[in-house]
Amino acid sequence: MNILDFKFPYFYSQKEIFELLNSSPQGISQEEAIQRLSLYGYNEIEEERRIPVLKLLLSQFLNILVLILLLASLISLYLGEKIEALAIISIILIAGLLGFLQEYQAERSLKALKKLILPFTRVIRNGKTVEIPVREVVPGDIVILEAGDKVPADARLIEASDLAVDEAILTGESYPVEKSIAPLLEEDLPPHRQTNMVFMGTSVLRGKAKAIVTSTGKKTEFGKIALLLQKVEERKTLLQVNLERASKQLGFYIVILAFGIGSIGILKGHPLSEMFLWSVALAVAMIPEALPAVTTISLALGVKRMALKKALIRRLSAVETLGSVTIICSDKTGTLTKNEMTVKRIYCDDVELEITGVGYEPKGEILPTKDNFDLSSETLQLLLTNALLCNHAELLYNPDENHWYIKGDPTEGALIVLGAKAGLKKEALMRKYPLIYEIPFSSERMKMTTVHSMENQWIVFSKGALEKILEASRFLLLNLEIHPLTEELKEKIHLKAQEFYEKGFRVLAMGYKTIPRDSSLEKVEEDLIFLGFVGMIDPAREEVKEAIRHCYTAGIKPIMITGDHKITATAIGKEIGLYKGGLILTGEDLRRLKEDDLQKKVTEVEIFARVLPEDKLKIVRALQRQGQVVAMTGDGVNDAPALKQADIGIAMGITGTEVAKEASEMVLLEENFVTIVKAIEEGRTIFANIRKFLVYLLTGNLATVLALTIALILDFPLPLTALQILFINLLMDGTPAIALGVEPPEPGIMKRAPRSPKEGILDRDSILFIASMGSFIALLILTLYYFYLQKNPHLANSVFFAGIITFRLVNALNCRSLRESFFKLGFFSNKWLILALGTSFLLMQAVMYSPLSEIFSLNPLGWKDWLLLLLIASFILIVDEIKKNFFQRN
């Protein structure tokens, strides 16, 4: 029987499903997986068809102006103007080919970005847990699911503990669906009634499970409705839409202007056919039709640079938003701190114990502060056993790097290391006390509970926030005796915990109880016996202090949002320079505040402590109503709404759930606050670079149009032919513009205030520069042209041609920064631009000093002509340097 021939996988028992899928609880072998992958294909849904290459190429020539120009060239060819007409057609073909290559490269860049965000899942193969790309999952694989995971394929549950799944994306129903492993004895059940199945694309809300894959790719329920959930959105960004709209509007005015100039030429006595061809060529050259493609390439290259800096952009629109961020709401653990939790204190039996050693290396001792304290104390041993059994983390060693590391939650990892320092091993304890039942940790409950078999009874271990464990406890184990947990004892425990908080420790409390075998587990977390608590600390990252300083300099306010205690958060906040004496609100404070009151106070808050994931959404909305552009970090399922609401949602790449990643714009491959600041700097740089090449193109275009218009009005001979105009367009719209798109960050870019999201692609300074420098270049080239008309008329046209190209290339150096001196930036700091300018200059030389000069109606210039031309070109750089120096001083 073919593996996928059976219709109702929910109908069969576990034994039957294993037989049908030719698998086992140990999973399939790697060799079998490869065979099945070739047989059933990748676990993905086919993408919509891309635009065929030929259609993309032909689209470059379907512009109405290009078609008019081609028609005019063919008419010229028919009338006998063969050489110029053929040359114009060649230029159009080359420009179309370059446009095609730019758009093709942009499409390939977007496709490459997709490959960067391949989701992964855990499966059992050959009896071992391995992590593989979701697309490589095959029927028969055993997948491991936990809260926050995306289900990678349709699968039949074989193990499930308190499993609830969000199937809204499939069924439209928003309530959690409880799951079990029992077979269902009805046929043709709809997906929402298949309670022993999990489906591709749905999200695990709580619990954990193992499931055997029954369908992949287009055979899944998800595939049947042809949705591709895990993909980079390819909608055009706001920036790209604005640029396209600006290009079209600009194009409309340029066409009117070009034909207006042509009409002036006809009135001045120039032949109609010549001016028609000339006007169309001018319009084609002046419209910056390459802008959208060049923008996409610049965005994509910037995203690749960010990936190298460990920040993965999932949506291109995030790049332009990054430059406008005014608030970073950051988690504390792992982002502001090292995420290497270390237990430093234990409190039990009314004694404080000190633990030596740091990090995950299991070296250290437990040292009592009382000389007569017995380390074999029942309370201490139960507390340590609790720490190890109520725990999912693993302590692992990498011999190649001589490095101990944690697989799992860092807080639980710290407890594993604590147990190892006491000579206890989790594996041995798990064999001695097998797991019977578990209630997983969630940020709402703030605790985790496990039930284990112990001789003739069951033992319940619970760990979590001090308030939650005390709330669930009725007794206290103290010096081998169980005492009622009175309010007086609770107060004493709180006072000791307060001492821990003031030292910056995170407090994790523990309780236990024993119950008869086969007891009801409905109230398993009630009437606990309180054991004590541990104090652990996650040291602040050294590099974060500098990053926080950069934020304040850049006009960005960092806000800490943590589930930790207010005092612990304050201690870390002071250490890293984030807390400067502003407001600190707890989750309870937040929930008590009315919406209007929160909105008034929210910008004054520096730390939010003891918050729940749903509080984050409230914080983001309050900040946005104040006009702030908010970046928010998160890693859990319940962080997803806040991540989606934030202007920039930032998910954790290592500890983050697939749901959080799906809701985010950016994923941190290195969970470090510094990475966020680097990404913002890169975002500012990318936007600045797009502005630079737009300024460069528009300044040159304005200079050319102004010079040609004034020459016509003053009855000068036409400075450029249609062919020369198109060649200049070919040089200017290509490599120099793209090279400006990879300009390194300007000095002081993180000392400027964030850009307003309402600000257009061109700000006031850019528009002033385009107008002033464009006019200045036009004045210089016209003066030079007039000089040669008087002195050496046969070289005037060649001087105008060489001059306008040279002046525009020199102006590219000005456009590297509208604020900073070119000399401060460094001549070779953007080698690509130097290469692009050099190549463009050499191509101009090739046209002027080769047989092509006859086709282009050019005469070679002598060294004196070049000396004069370069001397005048230097004024473009000098004048701009004087202006920059003046504004820097003032």
Side-chain angles (χ1 to χ4, degrees):
M1 172 187 259
N2 186 299
I3 287 176
L4 298 183
D5 281 348
F6 64 96
K7 287 179 68 177
F8 310 118
Y10 57 82
F11 188 84
Y12 301 94
S13 67
Q14 285 192 28
K15 184 181 177 184
E16 289 170 327
I17 206 83
F18 278 125
E19 288 175 0
L20 284 165
L21 289 165
N22 194 17
S23 185
S24 73
Q26 284 71 47
I28 57 176
S29 67
Q30 186 61 29
E31 294 75 20
E32 178 67 19
I34 292 168
Q35 288 180 12
R36 294 188 185 191
L37 192 62
S38 64
L39 182 62
Y40 300 108
Y42 285 111
N43 178 36
E44 56 191 8
I45 299 164
E46 291 179 11
E47 298 179 40
E48 58 276 9
R49 290 182 180 178
R50 297 193 345 243
I51 300 171
V53 173
L54 183 61
K55 189 175 179 181
L56 187 64
L57 178 60
L58 289 174
S59 69
Q60 307 301 314
F61 304 100
L62 297 179
N63 181 303
I64 186 66
L65 287 175
V66 172
L67 291 174
I68 291 170
L69 192 56
L70 279 170
L71 180 63
S73 302
L74 291 171
I75 293 168
S76 297
L77 191 66
Y78 177 75
L79 294 173
E81 300 287 338
K82 292 181 181 178
I83 294 175
E84 187 173 80
L86 287 171
I88 288 173
I89 292 169
S90 300
I91 291 283
I92 291 168
L93 290 173
I94 293 169
L97 185 62
L98 285 174
F100 160 74
L101 289 173
Q102 284 176 337
E103 288 200 28
Y104 183 69
Q105 178 60 38
E107 189 177 316
R108 284 187 64 192
S109 298
L110 288 172
K111 196 174 179 185
L113 292 181
K114 262 188 178 180
K115 291 180 181 177
L116 286 174
I117 56 168
L118 282 174
F120 283 76
T121 191
R122 288 185 301 152
V123 300
I124 297 174
R125 286 188 181 168
N126 294 323
K128 293 181 180 177
T129 301
V130 292
E131 196 172 62
I132 63 169
V134 165
R135 69 196 298 262
E136 294 178 13
V137 170
V138 295
D141 264 329
I142 308 296
V143 294
I144 300 171
L145 301 171
E146 290 181 354
D149 287 346
K150 271 282 175 67
V151 178
D154 288 4
R156 168 73 152 81
L157 290 167
I158 55 175
E159 288 181 24
S161 172
D162 192 32
L163 187 68
V165 179
D166 178 4
E167 294 183 346
I169 199 154
L170 196 66
T171 65
E173 300 292 343
S174 58
Y175 55 82
V177 180
E178 305 289 337
K179 296 288 184 177
S180 69
I181 62 173
L184 302 169
L185 302 180
E186 292 182 56
E187 294 187 355
D188 281 324
L189 286 175
H192 71 274
R193 291 186 58 198
Q194 296 177 26
T195 53
N196 59 8
M197 293 286 295
V198 285
F199 300 101
M200 181 186 196
T202 59
S203 309
V204 179
L205 294 177
R206 69 168 187 269
K208 58 183 184 177
K210 289 180 184 175
I212 184 167
V213 174
T214 57
S215 305
T216 59
K218 59 186 179 182
K219 295 280 188 181
T220 62
E221 292 295 329
F222 206 76
K224 289 172 188 174
I225 55 174
L227 288 173
L228 183 61
L229 187 66
Q230 293 163 323
K231 71 172 190 174
V232 177
E233 291 184 6
E234 291 186 17
R235 291 180 299 172
K236 288 174 182 173
T237 71
L238 181 62
L239 177 62
Q240 289 169 311
V241 170
N242 287 340
L243 281 174
E244 283 190 12
R245 186 167 59 240
S247 292
K248 286 175 183 175
Q249 289 171 348
L250 205 56
F252 174 75
Y253 293 118
I254 283 170
V255 169
I256 293 172
L257 180 64
F259 284 96
I261 295 168
S263 301
I264 293 169
I266 292 166
L267 293 173
K268 294 286 184 179
H270 293 280
L272 174 63
S273 59
E274 180 190 7
M275 289 314 300
F276 177 72
L277 191 65
W278 190 86
S279 298
V280 175
L282 184 65
V284 170
M286 295 304 107
I287 295 170
E289 67 282 340
L291 269 180
V294 175
T295 302
T296 302
I297 292 167
S298 297
L299 286 169
L301 289 173
V303 168
K304 285 181 181 177
R305 288 198 302 274
M306 286 192 191
L308 294 174
K309 294 179 180 178
K310 307 297 184 184
L312 183 62
I313 299 295
R314 298 187 68 255
R315 297 178 178 90
L316 280 183
S317 56
V319 176
E320 56 208 78
T321 311
L322 272 169
S324 303
V325 167
T326 57
I327 300 275
I328 303 174
C329 294
S330 174
D331 285 326
K332 178 180 71 67
T333 304
T335 311
L336 297 172
T337 58
K338 286 185 177 180
N339 206 12
E340 290 185 2
M341 295 298 294
T342 307
V343 177
K344 300 298 289 181
R345 294 285 191 279
I346 297 174
Y347 176 72
C348 66
D349 279 342
D350 199 23
V351 174
E352 190 175 328
L353 311 171
E354 184 182 341
I355 294 87
T356 62
V358 290
Y360 296 143
E361 188 174 7
K363 286 185 179 178
E365 296 178 90
I366 299 175
L367 304 174
T369 53
K370 278 187 180 179
D371 293 336
N372 59 348
F373 184 80
D374 183 3
L375 291 176
S376 63
S377 148
E378 182 187 4
T379 310
L380 177 59
Q381 293 306 311
L382 277 169
L383 184 145
L384 293 171
T385 303
N386 184 326
L388 292 171
L389 291 179
C390 196
N391 197 315
H392 286 305
E394 294 177 58
L395 177 63
L396 303 170
Y397 177 68
N398 185 336
D400 296 331
E401 298 179 9
N402 188 27
H403 172 64
W404 290 90
Y405 65 99
I406 290 296
K407 185 177 180 182
D409 182 78
T411 300
E412 293 192 334
L415 298 176
I416 298 286
V417 175
L418 171 65
K421 289 176 182 178
L424 299 174
K425 289 190 176 180
K426 179 182 174 181
E427 296 78 11
L429 286 173
M430 288 295 282
R431 286 193 296 271
K432 188 176 180 182
Y433 306 113
L435 180 67
I436 302 296
Y437 179 71
E438 177 185 324
I439 305 175
F441 176 87
S442 74
S443 48
E444 289 85 10
R445 295 175 354 93
M446 297 180 77
K447 62 185 174 185
M448 170 186 177
T449 300
T450 55
V451 182
H452 301 262
S453 177
M454 186 180 74
E455 296 174 355
N456 296 320
Q457 57 187 345
W458 288 347
I459 186 165
V460 178
F461 288 119
S462 194
K463 77 171 195 301
L466 178 65
E467 297 93 326
K468 298 295 180 182
I469 300 299
L470 278 176
E471 193 180 286
S473 299
R474 281 186 61 198
F475 306 98
L476 169 70
L477 183 60
L478 181 64
N479 299 322
L480 301 177
E481 293 182 9
I482 296 175
H483 301 268
L485 188 58
T486 61
E487 290 302 317
E488 187 181 342
L489 285 172
K490 282 186 180 180
E491 181 63 26
K492 188 175 182 181
I493 290 167
H494 275 299
L495 287 172
K496 178 53 74 172
Q498 187 72 14
E499 291 177 22
F500 277 40
Y501 292 138
E502 287 170 2
K503 293 171 185 173
F505 291 134
R506 174 187 287 185
V507 168
L508 194 67
M510 297 172 197
Y512 88 107
K513 70 178 179 180
T514 57
I515 56 176
R517 277 182 173 275
D518 302 319
S519 297
S520 168
L521 298 175
E522 191 178 335
K523 297 182 178 180
V524 73
E525 291 184 308
E526 296 179 10
D527 300 331
L528 297 178
I529 303 167
F530 189 80
L531 289 168
F533 53 81
V534 298
M536 56 180 74
I537 192 161
D538 180 11
R541 293 179 182 271
E542 284 297 319
E543 64 273 25
V544 163
K545 297 174 187 178
E546 185 67 13
I548 294 286
R549 193 180 62 78
H550 278 315
C551 281
Y552 283 115
T553 308
I556 301 167
K557 180 181 178 181
I559 296 175
M560 183 195 296
I561 299 182
T562 177
D564 264 356
H565 197 279
K566 178 177 176 178
I567 300 169
T568 308
T570 307
I572 294 292
K574 285 179 179 176
E575 185 184 346
I576 60 177
L578 180 145
Y579 181 63
K580 296 181 176 293
L583 274 180
I584 300 174
L585 290 183
T586 64
E588 286 184 10
D589 298 333
L590 189 66
R591 290 184 283 278
R592 277 198 299 265
L593 281 174
K594 291 181 180 177
E595 200 172 281
D596 290 344
D597 294 332
L598 175 61
Q599 194 172 323
K600 289 173 187 173
K601 289 185 176 182
V602 71
T603 51
E604 299 170 30
V605 180
E606 292 177 344
I607 294 172
F608 289 95
R610 277 290 191 242
V611 296
L612 299 174
E614 51 267 33
D615 295 330
K616 287 185 174 183
L617 182 60
K618 197 173 179 180
I619 294 165
V620 172
R621 284 176 173 164
L623 286 165
Q624 288 174 329
R625 280 193 291 269
Q626 287 281 19
Q628 303 295 333
V629 179
V630 184
M632 166 70 79
T633 67
D635 55 10
V637 178
N638 292 331
D639 288 329
L643 292 174
K644 206 169 185 70
Q645 177 70 33
D647 300 280
I648 295 285
I650 304 171
M652 303 295 112
I654 299 168
T655 59
T657 61
E658 287 302 321
V659 177
K661 291 174 190 175
E662 190 72 24
S664 68
E665 281 75 34
M666 186 165 87
V667 178
L668 295 187
L669 303 179
E670 183 179 77
E671 298 176 1
N672 189 335
F673 185 81
V674 175
T675 310
I676 302 172
V677 179
K678 285 179 182 175
I680 289 173
E681 181 182 23
E682 192 66 51
R684 288 188 177 191
T685 301
I686 291 168
F687 190 89
N689 288 349
I690 291 170
R691 178 177 281 172
K692 286 170 192 176
F693 69 63
L694 182 56
V695 167
Y696 160 72
L697 288 174
L698 294 181
T699 305
N701 286 358
L702 177 65
T704 308
V705 169
L706 268 178
L708 292 174
T709 306
I710 294 168
L712 268 177
I713 292 170
L714 296 177
D715 273 334
F716 292 171
L718 279 180
L720 294 174
T721 66
L723 180 59
Q724 289 167 353
I725 290 170
L726 290 171
F727 180 79
I728 291 169
N729 176 56
L730 192 66
L731 281 186
M732 297 298 111
D733 274 10
T735 51
I738 294 174
L740 277 170
V742 294
E743 183 72 26
E746 285 184 41
I749 196 165
M750 290 298 282
K751 291 182 180 177
R752 301 174 194 168
R755 179 182 61 83
S756 168
K758 296 177 184 176
E759 184 181 294
I761 182 69
L762 293 176
D763 61 359
R764 190 191 64 172
D765 290 348
S766 303
I767 293 167
L768 285 173
F769 179 85
I770 291 166
S772 59
M773 186 54 73
S775 302
F776 183 59
I777 292 172
L779 177 65
L780 289 179
I781 195 64
L782 270 174
T783 304
L784 191 62
Y785 182 57
Y786 179 74
F787 174 75
Y788 269 84
L789 283 174
Q790 304 304 313
K791 180 193 168 200
N792 205 345
H794 79 285
L795 285 180
N797 176 265
S798 300
V799 165
F800 192 101
F801 174 81
I804 197 69
I805 290 173
T806 305
F807 293 174
R808 288 177 68 169
L809 292 177
V810 169
N811 186 50
L813 300 176
N814 290 334
C815 293
R816 290 183 63 190
S817 173
L818 298 186
R819 298 173 182 231
E820 301 295 337
S821 165
F822 161 72
F823 300 101
K824 185 177 179 181
L825 297 175
F827 189 76
F828 291 106
S829 57
N830 186 349
K831 291 175 181 149
W832 292 111
L833 179 62
I834 302 304
L835 181 64
L837 298 180
T839 303
S840 299
F841 191 78
L842 289 173
L843 284 171
M844 175 187 67
Q845 299 288 325
V847 167
M848 295 189 73
Y849 296 95
S850 73
L852 290 171
S853 61
E854 189 177 338
I855 298 171
F856 280 86
S857 307
L858 294 168
N859 294 308
L861 302 180
W863 69 270
K864 289 182 180 178
D865 302 312
W866 277 111
L867 187 64
L868 178 62
L869 198 149
L870 293 172
L871 182 66
I872 293 172
S874 68
F875 280 105
I876 295 168
L877 201 59
I878 291 166
V879 167
D880 194 55
E881 285 296 312
I882 291 169
K883 182 210 76 174
K884 286 173 182 174
N885 186 56
F886 174 79
F887 283 112
Q888 288 283 353
R889 287 175 180 274
N890 292 278

